[in-house]
Amino acid sequence: MSSAEIMYLDHDQIPAYVESQAALGRDRVSVLQEIAALRKDVTLLSVADDKNTFLAKIKAAINSAKE
């Protein structure tokens, strides 16, 4: 799938896309990172984030959604 096609995926389609890429041998994390890099409406959160980093990502996502 091209970058332009990824941009037009509905949010409901993203999990199926990730799984289809995993079935082709791609790492799920890298697929999710690619999607997040291309789209402003997708933000990756990590369990490894400390509280301040987590809150900063949430705030940035909310501000991005308002634009």
Side-chain angles (χ1 to χ4, degrees):
M1 186 171 278
S2 72
S3 298
E5 291 170 318
I6 290 172
M7 295 297 293
Y8 293 106
L9 284 174
D10 289 333
H11 284 111
D12 294 344
Q13 295 173 306
I14 291 174
Y17 173 73
V18 172
E19 290 307 314
S20 71
Q21 292 298 300
L24 295 173
R26 291 192 62 198
D27 176 56
R28 286 179 181 83
V29 173
S30 13
V31 174
L32 288 168
Q33 288 173 333
E34 176 185 358
I35 293 169
L38 292 169
R39 297 176 58 139
K40 292 176 76 174
D41 63 338
V42 175
T43 302
L44 293 181
L45 302 175
S46 170
V47 294
D49 289 342
D50 63 26
K51 183 178 179 180
N52 291 334
T53 303
F54 180 84
L55 292 174
K57 285 182 179 181
I58 294 292
K59 184 177 179 180
I62 290 169
N63 289 339
S64 177
K66 289 179 182 177
E67 293 176 355

